[in-house]
């Protein structure tokens, strides 16, 4: 594998150095990872598996192990072992509240169960209150327990007041504690407050966790060694995928034909990289990059280039998906539609061959809905119309492109494809609309416009402030952040069992929501420094054993 290409997310011209043919090694060639390396990696896997099986009935140690495995991003190796521990925990969880010896154990158990889709009652935390209904003051001295409570509060659903209380209680005390301390523990506390595990991408945070992951227990060293090796295995897979995406994008030719549109294939690939972290899903990551790319390109056609008449014709063509309608389009739109048609046919064929279901109708319907929503926004702008905030947001969750992407992902993953589930996915279910709402609101909160895209797509903040005269920008932003927080509660509920979707799909939906802040946190230079830092770590750097 050649060394990773130098690239910058924010500047199109520096985005990626397209690999030459001589660089495009076969997928089996990773000169930096020897057979001995893979043998040692397999041995470490078995060591960790043995440790997990031997943990027995020691609930806290088992939970600590699972937490470490998930934070290190290596849990995909151990689904079976993790499931055994959590099923055992679930059967006795409600009795854990009777022993307050370990606040952290209670909070950690609750979080791990909810993260894996088990319903654990938040009522267990009511026992933390005193006779006056307030959370016991003595808990304020347990910093680790407070961090556990804060992490647990991130998994709340609607009408769970106790989780709201413990979240506020723990964050206030931890922030106050942090102002008087400046050592390694304070850094861990800051990291917990800024990046709670449930709302962060584990693989992006793994290096930071690895540096803090110390202890005298023998299993800690085994876990550390496996995580370091695994990081380098996964990095080599991502490098290969980047080459595939770069070649696909170059061969597609849209960057040359549609010079007004964004040319950022590797930034677009970062979505699947984050959303589908299991290394075995390499083909799905590469394929998912293709519709994501078209969402961005079509967005630019609507936002920065097309006239309203042209956009109306394009929307009609996508709704009809017929040759006669395409013939009416200007040349640049024909080029885009042909690419869209080719990608849709290719993915439909792949899904049919792999899973026995032709998703063509669902994919075309999703693209039509997206273009219809884009056209609504284009007409608003053309008319100088600022819609009501709710009207804007209802359309905006569709124009976010999330539904199109997650419909493709549902079929590419191939789990639970039934007539009933396909109808649910087509109908924009709550698990998808919640993610879309989070993305739309974060996008509109962005402190800078997307890279050099001076378009006309409005924002929720603008609509909200016009609807409520006298509202300050600070208050409007607070309202948006509160709405995002409430939407997370709905998303959390949708991910609890029973639900019609596979664990891989629900976790991928969560990962989209987790990725959103990184994708829309621009600095003053219209760059995405946090995203770029994470990406360079994942595809450029090695972690030595």
């Amino acid at each position: 594998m050649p060394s990773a290409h130098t690239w910058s997310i924010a500047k199109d011209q520096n985005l990626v150095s397209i690999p030459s043919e001589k660089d495009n090694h076969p997928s089996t060639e990773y000169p930096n990872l020897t057979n001995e390396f893979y043998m040692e990696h397999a041995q470490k896997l078995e060591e960790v598996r043995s440790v997990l099986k031997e943990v027995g009935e020691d609930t806290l140690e088992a939970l600590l192990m699972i937490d470490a495995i998930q934070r290190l991003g290596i849990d995909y190796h151990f689904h079976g072992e993790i499931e055994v521990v959590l099923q055992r925990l679930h059967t006795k969880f409600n009795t854990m509240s009777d022993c307050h010896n370990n606040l952290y154990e209670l909070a950690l158990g609750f979080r791990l169960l909810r993260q894996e889709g088990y319903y654990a009652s938040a009522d267990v935390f009511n026992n933390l209150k005193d006779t006056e209904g307030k959370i016991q003051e003595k808990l304020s001295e347990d910093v680790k327990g407070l961090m556990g409570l804060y992490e647990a509060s991130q998994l709340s659903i609607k009408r769970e007041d106790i989780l709201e209380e413990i979240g506020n209680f723990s964050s206030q005390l931890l922030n106050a504690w942090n102002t008087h301390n400046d050592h390694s523990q304070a850094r861990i506390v800051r990291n917990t407050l800024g990046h709670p595990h449930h709302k962060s991408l584990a693989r992006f945070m793994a290096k930071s966790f690895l540096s803090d992951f110390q202890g005298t227990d023998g299993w800690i060293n085994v876990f550390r060694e496996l995580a370091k090796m695994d990081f380098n295995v996964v990095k080599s897979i991502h490098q290969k995928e980047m080459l595939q995406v770069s070649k696909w994008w170059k061969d597609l030719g849209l960057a040359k034909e549609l010079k007004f549109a964004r040319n950022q294939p590797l930034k677009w690939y970062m979505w699947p990289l984050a959303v589908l972290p299991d290394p075995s899903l390499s083909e799905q990551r590469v394929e998912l990059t293709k519709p994501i790319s078209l969402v961005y390109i079509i967005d630019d056609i609507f936002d920065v280039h097309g006239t309203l008449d042209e956009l109306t014709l394009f929307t009609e063509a996508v709704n009809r998906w017929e040759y006669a309608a395409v013939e009416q389009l200007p040349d640049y739109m024909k080029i885009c539609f042909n690419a869209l048609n080719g990608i849709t046919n290719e993915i439909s064929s792949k899904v049919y061959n792999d899973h026995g279901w032709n998703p063509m109708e669902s994919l075309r319907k999703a693209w039509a809905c997206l273009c219809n929503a884009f056209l609504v926004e284009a007409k608003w702008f053309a008319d100088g119309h600022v819609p009501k905030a709710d009207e804007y947001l209802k359309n905006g969750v569709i124009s976010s492109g999330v539904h199109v992407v997650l419909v493709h992902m549902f079929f590419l993953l191939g789990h639970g494809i039934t007539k009933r589930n396909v109808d649910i996915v087509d109908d924009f279910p709550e698990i998808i609309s919640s993610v879309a709402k989070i993305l739309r609101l974060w996008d509109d909160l962005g402190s800078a416009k997307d890279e050099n895209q001076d378009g006309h797509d409005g924002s929720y903040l603008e609509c909200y402030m016009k609807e409520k005269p006298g509202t300050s920008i600070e208050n409007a932003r607070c309202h948006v952040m509160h709405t995002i927080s409430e939407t997370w509660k709905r998303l959390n509920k949708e991910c609890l069992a029973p639900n019609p979707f596979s664990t891989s799909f629900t976790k991928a939906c969560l990962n989209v929501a987790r990725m959103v802040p990184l994708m829309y946190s621009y600095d003053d230079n219209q760059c995405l420094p946090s995203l770029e830092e994470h990406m360079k770590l994942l595809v450029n750097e090695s972690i030595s054993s």
Side-chain angles (χ1 to χ4, degrees):
M1 179 60 60
S3 60
H5 302 286
T6 302
W7 57 282
S8 166
I9 290 172
K11 304 297 180 184
D12 293 353
Q13 65 271 24
N14 295 328
L15 175 68
V16 61
S17 170
I18 299 297
S20 62
E21 290 298 318
K22 65 182 176 62
D23 287 334
N24 200 4
H25 294 282
S27 61
T28 55
E29 290 185 26
Y30 300 120
N32 56 325
L33 301 179
T34 63
N35 287 337
E36 289 78 10
F37 176 93
Y38 281 109
M39 289 174 63
E40 187 179 351
H41 181 259
Q43 182 182 340
K44 292 295 178 191
L45 271 175
E46 289 310 308
E47 286 183 42
V48 173
R49 196 162 273 121
S50 296
V51 168
L52 283 171
K53 288 178 180 176
E54 291 168 6
V55 71
E57 295 296 319
D58 185 340
T59 302
L60 179 56
E61 187 166 38
L63 298 184
L64 291 171
M65 287 181 182
I66 292 173
D67 186 40
I69 285 172
Q70 292 179 342
R71 289 178 181 272
L72 291 168
I74 55 176
D75 50 310
Y76 67 94
H77 289 297
F78 307 107
H79 289 313
E81 291 82 359
I82 290 172
E83 190 71 11
V84 168
V85 173
L86 292 183
Q87 282 181 355
R88 192 167 62 216
L89 172 65
H90 190 237
T91 60
K92 64 176 185 177
F93 180 73
N94 289 336
T95 64
M96 288 179 64
S97 60
D98 295 333
C99 29
H100 302 158
N101 296 335
N102 198 322
L103 177 62
Y104 185 72
E105 180 178 355
L106 177 65
L108 179 59
F110 175 85
R111 175 168 66 81
L112 293 179
L113 286 172
R114 285 236 174 152
Q115 279 176 188
E116 294 305 307
Y118 290 94
Y119 177 74
S121 174
D123 290 345
V124 294
F125 295 109
N126 283 319
N127 290 327
L128 303 179
K129 294 182 175 182
D130 58 25
T131 54
E132 297 179 2
K134 296 179 181 178
I135 298 176
Q136 299 169 30
E137 278 301 316
K138 67 177 183 180
L139 302 178
S140 63
E141 299 168 11
D142 182 355
V143 174
K144 189 173 183 180
L146 290 173
M147 286 195 291
L149 287 180
Y150 182 75
E151 294 269 21
S153 72
Q154 305 302 308
L155 286 113
S156 66
I157 60 179
K158 287 279 190 179
R159 291 183 290 280
E160 287 187 326
D161 295 342
I162 182 60
L163 288 179
E164 195 88 25
E165 287 181 53
I166 66 171
N168 292 333
F169 175 81
S170 55
S171 63
Q172 288 172 10
L173 288 170
L174 290 170
N175 276 307
W177 184 88
N178 241 16
T179 59
H180 303 297
N181 293 275
D182 190 25
H183 48 73
S184 59
Q185 179 79 2
R187 179 167 45 80
I188 295 171
V189 169
R190 282 195 299 273
N191 207 39
T192 297
L193 292 170
H195 306 284
H197 180 69
H198 179 60
K199 293 181 180 175
S200 303
L201 292 156
R203 197 172 289 282
F204 287 14
M205 305 302 297
K207 188 175 183 181
S208 172
F209 178 72
L210 198 58
S211 65
D212 296 326
F213 187 41
Q214 310 289 341
T216 55
D217 292 321
W219 59 266
I220 289 179
N221 287 330
V222 178
F223 284 26
R224 284 173 59 85
E225 290 165 8
L226 175 61
K228 289 175 181 178
M229 298 184 78
D230 211 72
F231 183 93
N232 293 325
V233 171
V234 173
K235 184 191 74 168
S236 67
I237 293 171
H238 291 328
Q239 288 176 335
K240 168 178 160 275
E241 291 167 2
M242 287 168 66
L243 292 173
Q244 291 176 305
V245 167
S246 298
K247 185 178 186 305
W248 165 77
W249 180 248
K250 182 181 179 183
D251 292 347
L252 188 65
L254 287 185
K256 187 179 296 184
E257 298 288 349
L258 307 178
K259 295 189 183 299
F260 61 85
R262 280 167 284 191
N263 177 22
Q264 302 172 325
L266 294 190
K267 177 185 171 184
W268 303 332
Y269 161 72
M270 294 312 155
W271 281 109
L273 179 149
V275 170
L276 300 173
D278 187 329
S280 69
L281 298 176
S282 184
E283 183 180 12
Q284 287 86 342
R285 281 189 291 275
V286 173
E287 290 303 313
L288 193 59
T289 305
K290 299 173 183 180
I292 289 172
S293 303
L294 265 293
V295 170
Y296 279 96
I297 296 302
I298 294 172
D299 180 42
D300 287 345
I301 286 177
F302 276 82
D303 189 28
V304 301
H305 195 73
T307 67
L308 187 58
D309 287 343
E310 290 172 343
L311 299 177
T312 302
L313 287 174
F314 186 81
T315 302
E316 183 181 346
V318 174
N319 275 271
R320 289 172 57 189
W321 216 287
E322 294 173 355
Y323 180 78
V326 177
E327 280 301 293
Q328 306 300 313
L329 300 176
D331 287 344
Y332 78 94
M333 285 184 166
K334 286 180 183 176
I335 291 167
C336 180
F337 183 87
N338 287 335
L340 175 61
N341 186 52
I343 290 168
T344 303
N345 288 337
E346 174 192 329
I347 290 177
S348 295
S349 176
K350 185 178 296 292
V351 171
Y352 180 73
N353 290 333
D354 291 347
H355 308 298
W357 185 284
N358 186 349
M360 180 76 75
E361 184 180 348
S362 294
L363 302 186
R364 287 181 176 182
K365 180 181 175 183
W367 283 113
C369 288
L370 178 65
C371 290
N372 292 341
F374 280 160
L375 185 61
V376 168
E377 293 174 348
K379 288 178 177 178
W380 284 340
F381 177 77
D383 295 340
H385 173 65
V386 179
K388 296 286 188 183
D390 287 348
E391 182 186 8
Y392 168 86
L393 194 53
K394 184 178 180 181
N395 189 74
V397 296
I398 304 171
S399 67
S400 69
V402 168
H403 183 235
V404 166
V405 173
L406 293 185
V407 168
H408 280 80
M409 188 177 71
F410 170 77
F411 286 111
L412 286 168
L413 288 172
H415 302 140
I417 301 181
T418 64
K419 175 68 167 63
R420 176 176 176 269
N421 284 354
V422 169
D423 287 344
I424 292 172
V425 168
D426 286 349
D427 204 30
F428 217 116
E430 183 86 5
I431 192 170
I432 294 178
S433 64
S434 296
V435 176
K437 191 172 183 179
I438 289 168
L439 186 147
R440 169 54 62 212
L441 291 171
W442 261 109
D443 185 3
D444 289 354
L445 268 182
S447 57
K449 293 177 183 175
D450 198 357
E451 306 86 346
N452 305 317
Q453 295 297 304
D454 298 320
H456 316 303
D457 46 359
S459 85
Y460 179 80
L461 282 170
E462 178 188 358
C463 299
Y464 181 79
M465 292 176 72
K466 182 174 181 183
E467 190 176 329
K468 297 185 181 300
T471 303
S472 67
I473 184 67
E474 292 80 11
N475 286 341
R477 292 176 72 86
C478 284
H479 166 75
V480 171
M481 291 305 297
H482 175 73
T483 305
I484 290 172
S485 178
E486 292 298 301
T487 307
W488 260 103
K489 292 178 182 179
R490 286 200 293 275
L491 178 57
N492 287 340
K493 183 177 186 298
E494 290 302 309
C495 293
L496 292 175
N499 72 65
F501 302 113
S502 67
T503 300
S504 59
F505 182 77
T506 58
K507 288 192 172 183
C509 290
L510 283 167
N511 284 337
V512 175
R514 292 164 177 152
M515 182 65 164
V516 163
L518 287 174
M519 275 291 188
Y520 295 101
S521 295
Y522 295 99
D523 64 11
D524 292 339
N525 298 316
Q526 298 182 332
C527 296
L528 296 165
S530 296
L531 178 65
E532 214 162 321
E533 180 184 339
H534 288 306
M535 292 310 123
K536 286 177 179 176
L537 168 65
L538 289 181
V539 298
N540 288 18
E541 298 180 18
S542 294
I543 295 182
S544 60
S545 298

